[in-house]
Amino acid sequence: MQRLIIGTTNEGKVIEIRSALGELDGWTLEPVSDIIPSIPETGETFLENATLKAQHYSTFSDELTLADDSGLCVAALGGRPGVHSARYAPDPPSRIKRILQEMQPIPDGQRQAVFYCALAVARAGSIIWTVQGDVAGVITRSPSGTGGFGYDPVFLLPELHRTMGELSTEDKNRLSAPGKAIAELRKFLQAC
């Protein structure tokens, strides 16, 4: 049985990755140990940050190590919060509040956003695989739905007329940026 170390201390991301990957023959998924120090996310792109984290965490294990970076880029805000999505405010409710306040004067036809997710897999400090996924949507005027985490309650998928926070786990795994990236990860791991 091979092990994949998930290089994050974000419990929501661990749950999301495990859920999206599901049962994967020949693999066990384990979160990185709490005693391993984190590394500052100094990259200018999601892929740079995922790569930094995968390289860092992989130096503490002989196993393949997965790291990710993801975030929301809002066109009307010049791409903010971007790579600062997780640090845009102290906690998820505050981040949602800040986005909604900043978007308040923006008309409905100009509320486009893209959610990005980059994954990187490393072993012994060397990157061996990367992928990026994205999904386009619109920022709502108020939160809707209790599913998911982060910006999900304010990220609307126009074709479904539902926010990510309103989707079932199965639909989110299929349609979200992390879900798309993790589908590619599944293919990579099955080929290992």
Side-chain angles (χ1 to χ4, degrees):
M1 190 69 81
Q2 296 185 74
R3 292 186 334 155
L4 176 67
I5 306 301
I6 303 172
T8 183
T9 55
N10 180 328
E11 188 175 320
K13 285 188 181 184
V14 172
I15 292 167
E16 183 177 50
I17 290 167
R18 280 187 168 150
S19 171
L21 273 176
E23 292 296 318
L24 195 58
D25 287 340
W27 288 92
T28 61
L29 308 177
E30 298 179 20
V32 71
S33 170
D34 288 342
I35 62 169
I36 295 176
S38 62
I39 185 169
E41 295 181 16
T42 58
E44 294 183 16
T45 68
F46 297 111
L47 186 56
E48 286 176 10
N49 281 334
T51 298
L52 284 168
K53 292 188 284 186
Q55 287 173 316
H56 169 73
Y57 288 122
S58 73
T59 63
F60 294 92
S61 171
D62 293 332
E63 310 295 336
L64 286 180
T65 302
L66 169 71
D68 84 306
D69 195 35
S70 58
L72 181 66
C73 296
V74 181
L77 300 179
R80 288 190 332 267
V83 294
H84 305 288
S85 292
R87 299 174 297 283
Y88 208 51
D91 53 60
S94 299
R95 289 190 280 276
I96 288 173
K97 182 178 179 181
R98 180 173 177 187
I99 286 287
L100 291 177
Q101 286 174 341
E102 291 179 355
M103 291 295 290
Q104 194 279 326
I106 307 299
D108 288 344
Q110 298 175 20
R111 300 176 71 85
Q112 295 84 3
V114 178
F115 199 91
Y116 293 94
C117 177
L119 301 178
V121 175
R123 176 176 272 142
S126 296
I127 296 297
I128 59 173
W129 181 86
T130 62
V131 70
Q132 293 186 94
D134 63 71
V135 63
V138 174
I139 300 301
T140 60
R141 295 204 170 271
S142 62
S144 184
T146 58
F149 64 99
Y151 298 98
D152 289 350
V154 295
F155 190 83
L156 178 78
L157 298 174
E159 66 277 7
L160 298 180
H161 305 288
R162 292 175 17 209
T163 67
M164 284 289 191
E166 295 174 304
L167 296 180
S168 67
T169 300
E170 181 180 280
D171 285 343
K172 184 175 178 196
N173 288 343
R174 184 172 48 86
L175 299 169
S176 71
K180 291 176 183 179
I182 291 168
E184 293 301 314
L185 172 66
R186 172 180 275 282
K187 292 175 192 175
F188 168 74
L189 293 174
Q190 287 173 331
C192 285

